[in-house]
Amino acid sequence: MNKITVAVAALMALTGPALAQNIIVVAHGQANDPFWSVVRNGAMLAGDHTGASVDFRAPETFDMVAMGQLIDAAVNQQPAGIVVSIPDADALGPSIRRAVEAGIPVISMNSGGDVAADLGVRLHVGQSEYDAGVAAGARMAEMGATKAICVNHEVGNVSLDQRCAGFEEGFAQTVTVIPTQNDPTEVQSRVRAALESDPEVDAVLGLSASLVGEPAIAAVEALGRDDVRIATFDLSAGFLEAVSEGRASFAIDQQQYLQGYLPVTFLALNAEYGLMPGGDVPSGPNLVEQDAAAQAIELSAQGIR
């Protein structure tokens, strides 16, 4: 638990669950993505702890027009605060600025840390996607990999582009980006095809544990390629199990539970007392390798990591 989390917990212990505010969260994550259920779990627990009424909203698909409309609708309700993810600043910027101009405190989480301040967002809770990619690429190179693919399951999400770009920088060798859809069956097929077309590829980076990391493991094992190293952004119980068994190399944990929990708590405290941290809060990255996988599996199964 970092210093900010400790401070928040201590303050909440003093105040008790009496900060009855309404806070709206608008995220871009799709309902079938387990990653976002963990974000939602964190936000809802923060509501329980603070007494705030939390409304968690997201479009049914990766649709920036629909997401902008959800933010506009939230602004019209004049809540005590709005939490947003910002995968596309050009598309969402006008709606976010509308919230700020209406006097509604806005905190961003997960994606958009590099543009949040320009949009008037109070602070960002998340990780630098580019830096996390650099760390992943450097670690993969240390492990001896020489040629990699980066599998992007959500084309158009700038944060995912930053992950692949950072990975290429840290890896410092050939990286090919493989675009796919948000469909594990298609991901498995595309990874298998990429490995079959180029036997020199010996590393796969996924940008989602459940949607890409686990299908990538299935593709590699179906080909009998035990020389291919596999890593992914984010966690899932299935991928962590593979890391603990040595079938995958590592997962990059951005602790998305905090990305849901902390912004709601900050906005509730701000509405009641005018309190707000003085800067962004980095929630990651942490590389979860074999020695730490077992500890993370139990919490992942509980929807906390």
Side-chain angles (χ1 to χ4, degrees):
M1 185 177 291
N2 62 31
K3 293 180 179 178
I4 292 178
T5 309
V6 170
V8 169
L11 185 55
M12 295 314 302
L14 291 174
T15 59
L19 311 181
Q21 307 293 341
N22 59 321
I23 295 167
I24 298 175
V25 182
V26 182
H28 70 272
Q30 298 164 48
N32 67 339
D33 187 340
F35 174 92
W36 286 98
S37 69
V38 175
V39 179
R40 187 180 185 281
N41 290 343
M44 302 313 290
L45 182 66
D48 291 342
H49 285 175
T50 62
S53 171
V54 178
D55 189 349
F56 197 102
R57 305 171 181 175
E60 294 183 358
T61 62
F62 185 75
D63 185 337
M64 292 300 94
V65 174
M67 186 175 174
Q69 292 170 341
L70 289 175
I71 297 173
D72 290 338
V75 173
N76 292 338
Q77 292 180 243
Q78 288 289 307
I82 296 177
V83 183
V84 296
S85 59
I86 315 175
D88 187 332
D90 292 337
L92 301 176
S95 295
I96 293 170
R97 287 194 177 95
R98 194 170 298 120
V100 172
E101 291 167 359
I104 301 171
V106 179
I107 291 179
S108 61
M109 55 88 175
N110 179 257
S111 53
D114 54 336
V115 298
D118 291 340
L119 296 175
V121 171
R122 300 288 292 271
L123 64 89
H124 181 77
V125 179
Q127 70 179 1
S128 164
E129 305 293 2
Y130 185 85
D131 291 346
V134 171
R139 183 65 182 123
M140 196 69 93
E142 289 176 359
M143 291 179 165
T146 59
K147 194 170 188 178
I149 59 174
C150 183
V151 185
N152 187 344
H153 66 288
E154 205 168 70
V155 176
N157 185 335
V158 175
S159 295
L160 300 196
D161 295 337
Q162 292 171 344
R163 290 178 175 183
C164 286
F167 180 70
E168 184 171 12
E169 171 72 22
F171 193 57
Q173 300 191 69
T174 302
V175 175
T176 300
V177 177
I178 305 294
T180 71
Q181 298 294 318
N182 189 6
D183 178 352
T185 301
E186 179 183 332
V187 169
Q188 182 175 340
S189 176
R190 293 296 302 273
V191 170
R192 178 168 181 155
L195 293 174
E196 287 179 322
S197 65
D198 188 350
E200 292 185 356
V201 172
D202 58 4
V204 179
L205 177 69
L207 306 183
S208 162
S210 58
L211 299 179
V212 181
E214 293 183 34
I217 292 170
V220 169
E221 292 182 344
L223 293 171
R225 289 283 306 276
D226 58 6
D227 61 317
V228 178
R229 295 191 175 277
I230 308 168
T232 187
F233 275 79
D234 306 324
L235 310 180
S236 70
F239 193 86
L240 288 170
E241 189 70 33
V243 172
S244 71
E245 295 170 352
R247 296 185 290 118
S249 297
F250 60 84
I252 305 154
D253 185 13
Q254 62 174 292
Q255 303 183 102
Q256 73 270 34
Y257 194 84
L258 293 178
Q259 296 173 8
Y261 186 90
L262 290 177
V264 169
T265 303
F266 291 156
L267 288 171
L269 291 169
N270 180 71
E272 189 73 16
Y273 303 117
L275 299 174
M276 186 68 75
D280 293 347
V281 180
S283 63
N286 299 304
L287 300 189
V288 180
E289 300 193 28
Q290 189 169 21
D291 60 345
Q295 182 185 32
I297 288 174
E298 181 177 352
L299 291 175
S300 179
Q302 295 176 29
I304 297 174
R305 294 188 72 182

